[in-house]
Amino acid sequence: MSSFQTQRDLFDLPEGITYLDGNSLGPLPKSAVDRARTTMAEEWGPMLITGWNKARWMDLPARLGDRIGRLIGAPAGSTVVGDTLSIKVYQAVASAVEMRPGRKIVLSDNGNFPSDLYIADGLLKSLKQGHELKVVDPEAVAENITEDVAAVMLTHVDYRTGRVHDMKAITDKAHAAGAIMIWDLAHSAGALPVDLTGCNADIAVGCTYKYLNGGPGAPGFIHVRPDLIDQVRPALSGWLGHQAPFAFDLDYRPGEGISRMRVGTPPVIQMTVLDAALDAFDGVEMTDIRARSIELSEQFISEVEDGCKDVVLASPRDPQARGSQVSFRFHEGYAAMQALIARGIIGDFRAPDIMRFGFCPLYNTADDVRHAAAVLCEIIATGEWDRPEFKQRKAVT
Ligand SMILES: *Cc1c(COP(=O)(O)O)cnc(C)c1O
């Protein structure tokens, strides 16, 4: 057993709910409620516009970037928070393509989250320079990194199966071919150790409302390797990425370092909530979180497979090749997940047939796992999922 101590008391988890969906939306940290109240009642209310200086709201994007940087192996001053992840993907791909003029391919895989693919494709079409988004199987990425590839854009942990790409090996391969490497850490940041510096990644982006518990709609982040940032021309050149936003110059000059990747006004309330949420990681090592997450996911796989023969593991069996989630295929996966939710066990469903369960050692325990596995097996054994109300598709799955 790992020595990791659960931090469950830091979270406001509803009574009677087993939450295994922190990979989609982290739960509410208790301190976030006070912090949002403070921001509104003690800063915004009395300070009004002077809060930008007095409460240092303008520093939040860089300060939060550094707090996240510690969790992903990025040096201080190389990560900034703001906008949504989709927008950060746009900036990453636009900058990468511009740094490799003459190369026309952006390479990704079909395990990537669709928004990343849509954004890259849309951007390349707007450029009208003959670029192509090439999407291959995850196993075929390495062999497709050729000298006409401008950028390789991959999500480290597959959102459906949890399969993990070898960041170091693929980054090395991309660099050997002269391509820019972009990593999306949406399902990695706060879930498993990431060493951006050690693998020499060029650009990384990610999300703060999943394992970082920043709340619905919390902003994304972007990191650029410090020796590259001066070459990066932010495609979304907003005023807050300007060298001197309050000079109100008519011409754009990119800001110092990573600050140039800022776009517009930061969402202050959401950012202070994220700041409070990140306290849960203080004094915690990602290697300890990882060790505990592997214990929980191994327990889940073994208990589900022992008790239920009708589901098929969709995640890699090797825990080192898996992120902090476990997915099972079941032909009526949507209905089975609705039946589980009706019994207070919250995971989620991804088309066409994947039931997805996220494990967050900050608040999930071995009892959660035992309970979820037992109820899942029971729902399938008794056919409890086979009711019309469980087959009605909701707008958000
Ligand atoms: C969650 C997720 C997104 C979502 O992007 P938003 O702009 O925050 O809606 C994008 N890409 C990946 C890989 C994700 O996992």
Side-chain angles (χ1 to χ4, degrees):
M1 272 274 287
S2 67
S3 58
F4 187 79
Q5 290 294 315
T6 175
Q7 315 257 8
R8 200 179 174 91
D9 281 352
L10 299 179
F11 293 89
D12 197 356
L13 285 157
E15 202 61 42
I17 293 290
T18 301
Y19 196 59
L20 301 178
D21 210 5
N23 50 309
S24 240
L25 177 67
L28 173 66
K30 289 175 184 164
S31 62
V33 178
D34 285 340
R35 187 61 190 275
R37 210 206 125 271
T38 302
T39 306
M40 289 193 268
E42 290 170 33
E43 296 178 3
W44 177 21
M47 294 179 190
L48 296 161
I49 198 166
T50 67
W52 288 108
N53 290 318
K54 281 192 193 143
R56 305 177 71 94
W57 292 336
M58 211 41 112
D59 299 344
L60 280 165
R63 213 163 52 71
L64 293 172
D66 284 347
R67 294 193 78 183
I68 293 168
R70 182 183 81 81
L71 305 177
I72 56 174
S78 67
T79 308
V80 73
V81 172
D83 317 298
T84 75
L85 171 52
S86 301
I87 287 169
K88 282 356 229 180
V89 169
Y90 183 98
Q91 288 184 289
V93 178
S95 307
V97 163
E98 199 169 311
M99 282 191 278
R100 290 295 179 272
R103 294 185 177 218
K104 298 295 181 195
I105 294 178
V106 172
L107 180 66
S108 191
D109 72 26
N110 54 28
N112 206 344
F113 189 77
S115 195
D116 296 36
L117 301 176
Y118 302 159
I119 289 276
D121 188 48
L123 162 67
L124 298 181
K125 287 197 169 101
S126 308
L127 288 177
K128 291 197 170 58
Q129 291 173 20
H131 287 97
E132 179 205 343
L133 174 66
K134 186 171 176 184
V135 180
V136 301
D137 289 338
E139 301 74 26
V141 167
E143 71 205 52
N144 278 283
I145 303 178
T146 49
E147 308 232 322
D148 46 2
V149 172
V152 182
M153 173 192 74
L154 297 172
T155 295
H156 180 214
V157 179
D158 184 306
Y159 74 105
R160 275 179 303 204
T161 63
R163 180 220 11 87
V164 175
H165 272 306
D166 184 337
M167 277 184 73
K168 175 88 172 86
I170 295 178
T171 305
D172 285 349
K173 188 95 208 269
H175 288 166
I180 298 284
M181 185 71 228
I182 302 169
W183 286 108
D184 188 327
L185 305 177
H187 293 273
S188 315
L192 64 165
V194 172
D195 185 7
L196 286 177
T197 301
C199 64
N200 208 25
D202 300 299
I203 305 180
V205 294
C207 181
T208 65
Y209 52 78
K210 293 169 180 157
Y211 293 96
L212 297 177
N213 313 309
F221 63 84
I222 188 164
H223 154 89
V224 178
R225 211 176 62 219
D227 64 291
L228 271 188
I229 187 69
D230 290 343
Q231 299 170 43
V232 169
R233 197 189 64 88
L236 296 172
S237 33
W239 72 302
L240 287 180
H242 193 281
Q243 208 175 76
F246 292 91
F248 298 104
D249 290 343
L250 293 184
D251 295 322
Y252 180 81
R253 278 175 289 129
E256 261 314 291
I258 195 68
S259 73
R260 70 182 56 188
M261 301 313 266
R262 290 176 63 167
V263 182
T265 305
V268 171
I269 297 167
Q270 191 83 64
M271 282 191 177
T272 56
V273 164
L274 171 61
D275 194 28
L278 289 173
D279 290 349
F281 289 91
D282 283 350
V284 170
E285 290 303 326
M286 288 310 305
T287 46
D288 294 335
I289 291 202
R290 177 65 168 158
R292 185 68 184 138
S293 142
I294 287 178
E295 285 173 358
L296 296 172
S297 58
E298 289 287 277
Q299 179 195 344
F300 188 67
I301 293 172
S302 121
E303 291 179 4
V304 170
E305 289 187 333
D306 282 352
C308 174
K309 302 296 166 212
D310 296 334
V311 297
V312 178
L313 183 66
S315 299
R317 200 165 281 283
D318 171 9
Q320 301 301 338
R322 205 167 63 217
S324 203
Q325 68 175 71
V326 171
S327 302
F328 281 103
R329 289 184 199 282
F330 180 59
H331 58 94
E332 286 283 351
Y334 183 81
M337 183 53 74
Q338 293 306 308
L340 270 171
I341 293 171
R343 295 266 225 111
I345 295 158
I346 303 182
D348 64 17
F349 171 79
R350 286 294 173 264
D353 59 356
I354 288 190
M355 292 184 288
R356 199 168 65 148
F357 302 89
F359 298 94
C360 302
L362 288 178
Y363 51 84
N364 288 136
T365 62
D367 285 343
D368 289 344
V369 170
R370 198 167 308 118
H371 179 58
V375 176
L376 173 61
C377 294
E378 195 181 311
I379 281 171
I380 290 184
T382 59
E384 188 176 321
W385 54 269
D386 193 11
R387 289 197 211 145
E389 72 260 33
F390 294 146
K391 296 180 183 172
Q392 287 286 340
R393 293 279 170 127
K394 299 198 169 75
V396 176
T397 64

